[in-house]
Amino acid sequence: RIWRHERQFRDALVAARRAIVAELAPREAANMARRRHFARWKECLAAPIDLGGDSRLQRIQHMSPDDWHAIVTSWNWDHGYSEIDWITAQRDCDRTTALVAFCSLRPSHFVSAPEQKLTGFVCALASRLENGFYPIAELKLDLSMRNRAAFEAEIAAVRATGRSPWLVPEGLLDHEGTRKPAPRYASTDGRIHYD
């Protein structure tokens, strides 16, 4: 009854309301922006996103033997060996690819120091080469003279042991091959990319 009949009191209430609204309006806009932000943030947290994408091995598993050869020839062994282990365990891996992987690891070091980390992998690879695991031998072995001499020395050193699995067949480096590899992918510093 007071505010209806008392004009001064009513004017004071309207003024107070305007002041409060004027003070809260900027806060309301900031609060709405904050709510929109956190709504997007919660949405992003709830979405199952694999930011890493396919692993390197998963990509390699979908490639051709020619791509595998390109990857093996440029592989940096500091990036591990699980990918090369998978490649060389495939029956459709070209024998030239397996030979490059084998010789690149300098297998003679594993004969004299069998407790090394990669020994199991190198022995398995030597065993596959020794037992003719790779029926496909199409790719040409394109080596520089220095690499060829190094590979010959490695093969001679492991064969000199006279015991399996180091008895890889003679003449592997002399195989001519019928074609050059035609890869679509390459490996640079551990990353696979379309070449």
Side-chain angles (χ1 to χ4, degrees):
R1 195 170 63 185
I2 294 173
W3 70 268
R4 284 189 194 169
H5 300 298
E6 193 74 38
R7 184 150 184 83
Q8 186 180 19
F9 183 71
R10 191 178 75 203
D11 291 345
L13 281 176
V14 170
R17 183 176 189 277
R18 281 189 188 136
I20 291 171
V21 168
E23 182 184 335
L24 292 179
R27 292 182 186 176
E28 173 69 15
N31 193 29
M32 290 304 291
R34 183 176 163 275
R35 285 182 184 182
R36 281 193 303 273
H37 170 76
F38 279 106
R40 298 290 300 163
W41 180 65
K42 288 177 183 175
E43 178 185 330
C44 288
L45 287 178
I49 298 174
D50 180 10
L51 294 176
D54 290 341
S55 71
R56 189 170 40 206
L57 179 57
Q58 288 170 325
R59 282 179 269 157
I60 287 172
Q61 290 171 342
H62 297 288
M63 294 179 185
S64 72
D66 286 27
D67 297 316
W68 298 342
H69 185 78
I71 289 168
V72 168
T73 56
S74 64
W75 190 254
N76 180 346
W77 293 99
D78 293 336
H79 293 276
Y81 65 95
S82 61
E83 292 86 353
I84 308 304
D85 187 23
W86 184 88
I87 289 171
T88 57
Q90 305 310 305
R91 292 282 291 168
D92 53 345
C93 172
D94 195 274
R95 187 174 63 205
T96 302
T97 304
L99 181 63
V100 169
F102 179 70
C103 291
S104 297
L105 280 168
R106 300 188 338 212
S108 60
H109 295 297
F110 297 95
V111 171
S112 59
E115 69 283 345
Q116 293 183 27
K117 180 180 174 184
L118 294 173
T119 300
F121 167 63
V122 177
C123 285
L125 188 50
S127 178
R128 290 183 201 121
L129 285 167
E130 177 186 19
N131 296 314
F133 177 81
Y134 304 103
I136 300 169
E138 297 174 355
L139 300 180
K140 291 185 178 187
L141 184 61
D142 189 21
L143 295 173
S144 67
M145 290 179 70
R146 178 181 290 175
N147 282 346
R148 184 176 180 84
F151 283 14
E152 286 173 349
E154 288 297 324
I155 290 174
V158 295
R159 284 184 57 76
T161 64
R163 61 183 198 277
S164 186
W166 307 112
L167 300 175
V168 297
E170 290 186 37
L172 286 178
L173 292 174
D174 298 326
H175 177 70
E176 294 287 325
T178 58
R179 64 181 181 85
K180 287 186 172 188
R184 293 178 301 156
Y185 296 90
S187 172
T188 306
D189 197 31
R191 292 185 304 182
I192 308 294
H193 55 87
Y194 192 76
D195 199 12

